[in-house]
Structure formats: C-alpha cells, structure tokens
Amino acid sequence: MCKISPIRPWPRAVQFCILVFVALYFWAAKKYPGGSNFDPNSVGFDWLRNYWCELLGPIAKNGQPNPARPIASAAMFLIGAALAYFFWEMPKKLPIPAFFSKMTRFSGIVSMVFGMLFLTEWHETATIASGFFGVAAISGLFFGLFKGKNWPLFGLGMASLFCVLLNNFIYFTQILLPVLPVAQKISFAIFLYWAFKMSGSF
C-alpha cells in the first residue's frame, strides 16, 4: 500500500498568501488613477515609473483620490503576516544554531511590524527599520542554507539580498534614481519567489 505523505499546512499557507498578494498587487495597480514622481500627469499605474508604496497613499500622485489604497493595504497586511509566519517556522527546517534561530524569528517579525508602518507618515523610517531587521532575519536563514549546502536556494537568496542592497543604495544616493521603480519590482519578485521556493522545499 502506498504511504500518503501528510499535508504540511504552514508552507501551503505561506505560498498561498504570496500568490494572493501578487494578485492583489495587480488589482491595486489596475485601480490606481495615475501620476508618479516622474510624471504627475500620467494615466494609470506606470510599471516603469510608479513605486509600490504609491498604491498605498490616500491620494494618487495626480491629485485624485486613490481607490487602490484599500486593496494595496490588504495586500500589505496579508504578506506581512505570511512572512512573519515564514520567519517563525523556517528556522525549524534548517541546521541553524539556537542564536541564529532566535535572531531570525525576532528580526523577521519585527521587520514585518515595521513594514505595516508603510501605511503611515513614518514611511521612510519604517522602510529603513524594516530593511535592517529583514536583512538580519534572512542572514540567519543563509547560514542554515550554507551549512546544509543547499546552493540553489542559497544563491537565489543572495541575489535577493543584493537587489535589496542595490535598492537602498539608489534610494539614499539618488544615483540612477529613474531605474529605482523597476529595481524595486525586480527585488520584490526575486524575494517572493525565494520565500515561495523555501517554503515548499523543507
């Protein structure tokens, strides 16, 4: 008789939330009326010039009320909860010492809490704090992937980290600023794909 493997609910939940987040992202972008820092008079969401956070504002960059905000806000809460769960559970699946396990859990949850502040006037401070604790969280997972010699996921994670650091470099130096909206979306895509693959691999 064939043995049926038990369904592991936690990775399925994380993966499901990532997929729903992506769907909500596209829905919010479709509802965005228009305008960006580069062109206040543009119509709709410009994938080359609009930032994700512009979907969260009560007023669009063109001065109109932003109907995308409730959808984008729901997406933020969903992905924040999913990733906090991800950082809590993932250390159990990797050969990580107790210190790194605690660091990943604490930093991951704190990063997601700061991420919720993207919706407030403390957006810039929240971005810095969330990024700092997020890097600390994934560093613990990198240790486990390296120790376990899981090179595909380790390499994908390092690519995600590089993109995050590149985003911050552009943001704070203003060098190559016009490419930042695209770099931000690429970073999102790589990180979420990494988290999706990580969740289903252990």
Side-chain angles (χ1 to χ4, degrees), residues 1-199:
M1 181 181 294
C2 295
K3 184 178 180 181
I4 300 176
S5 299
I7 296 175
R8 298 170 297 154
W10 87 264
R12 300 292 183 267
V14 172
Q15 291 179 328
F16 176 75
C17 288
I18 290 173
L19 294 175
V20 173
F21 169 79
V22 172
L24 291 175
Y25 190 141
F26 279 93
W27 185 19
K30 188 175 179 63
K31 300 283 286 185
Y32 185 73
S36 70
N37 289 340
F38 303 98
D39 183 5
N41 299 314
S42 62
V43 177
F45 187 81
D46 187 335
W47 289 89
L48 297 179
R49 295 185 175 183
N50 280 111
Y51 299 102
W52 158 252
C53 61
E54 288 169 350
L55 298 175
L56 297 167
I59 303 297
K61 290 294 182 176
N62 65 1
Q64 297 179 18
N66 179 20
R69 187 172 194 251
I71 303 167
S73 299
M76 280 297 300
F77 279 109
L78 178 67
I79 199 64
L83 291 177
Y85 191 28
F86 168 81
F87 284 121
W88 181 263
E89 290 287 341
M90 205 66 239
K92 300 177 184 178
K93 315 299 179 184
L94 295 170
I96 302 177
F99 170 78
F100 284 104
S101 178
K102 292 177 181 178
M103 180 184 74
T104 294
R105 288 178 170 178
F106 173 78
S107 300
I109 292 174
V110 171
S111 175
M112 294 305 106
V113 170
F114 275 113
M116 295 301 100
L117 297 179
F118 289 172
L119 299 165
T120 70
E121 64 217 41
W122 298 297
H123 174 81
E124 185 167 334
T125 301
T127 299
I128 297 171
S130 180
F132 174 80
F133 284 102
V135 168
I138 62 177
S139 295
L141 300 184
F142 288 164
F143 181 89
L145 291 172
F146 182 84
K147 188 175 180 181
K149 298 182 179 180
N150 192 324
W151 305 124
L153 286 175
F154 180 79
L156 187 60
M158 290 300 292
S160 175
L161 178 60
F162 172 78
C163 287
V164 170
L165 296 176
L166 178 62
N167 272 262
N168 281 278
F169 173 79
I170 295 173
Y171 180 78
F172 288 109
T173 65
Q174 304 290 292
I175 297 173
L176 298 175
L177 189 61
V179 307
L180 183 56
V182 175
Q184 182 193 66
K185 295 176 184 66
I186 293 174
S187 297
F188 271 169
I190 295 176
F191 174 76
L192 291 178
Y193 180 68
W194 176 71
F196 188 93
K197 293 289 288 184
M198 284 278 288
S199 298

